[in-house]
Amino acid sequence: MRIVAIRTVSYIGDALFVFPTLAALRVKYPQAHITLVSYRPVLPLAQAWGLADEVFDCAEERWGAISAPVGIYHDEVRAILKGTDCVIYWDVDTRG
C-alpha cells in the first residue's frame, strides 16, 4: 500500500499536526510506504521517527500544482499520485 499525506503550510505547528495521523496509519498499515509532502523543517523528524519513508518539501514549485485550478501539471507529481492507494490532503481554507 502507498499513502501520500500532504500538508502545505509554512508553520511548524500546523505541519506537526499531521504526525498523529501518520503514526496511526503506521500502526494500522505497518508495511505501507508513506510519503509526506509538507513544511521543510518537519520532514527530517517524520523520517527519524519512522512516520514517513519518503518526504518532499511543499515549497518546491512542482507541489504548487496540487491546488492549481487547471489540474496537476507536473509529471513527477502526477506519477507519485497515480501510484498511490490513499491520499490525505490538508489545506487551509482561505475562502472562509
Side-chain angles (χ1 to χ4, degrees):
M1 172 175 260
R2 296 185 65 81
I3 300 169
V4 175
I6 303 168
R7 178 67 173 163
T8 57
V9 295
S10 58
Y11 302 106
I12 195 164
D14 289 341
L16 289 172
F17 165 77
V18 306
F19 279 29
T21 301
L22 296 177
L25 288 168
R26 184 61 79 199
V27 169
K28 177 85 174 166
Y29 307 103
Q31 300 303 317
H33 182 275
I34 299 176
T35 300
L36 175 62
V37 180
S38 192
Y39 183 49
R40 182 183 306 223
V42 305
L43 300 178
L45 292 174
Q47 285 188 301
W49 295 347
L51 301 174
D53 302 299
E54 182 176 34
V55 296
F56 294 100
D57 181 357
C58 67
E60 294 176 359
E61 185 272 331
R62 63 182 162 178
W63 291 102
I66 287 292
S67 59
V70 296
I72 299 170
Y73 54 82
H74 196 281
D75 291 340
E76 184 181 358
V77 173
R78 273 201 321 264
I80 290 169
L81 295 177
K82 185 176 182 180
T84 299
D85 299 296
C86 175
V87 175
I88 304 167
Y89 178 43
W90 294 269
D91 198 2
V92 178
D93 180 5
T94 59
R95 297 182 189 145

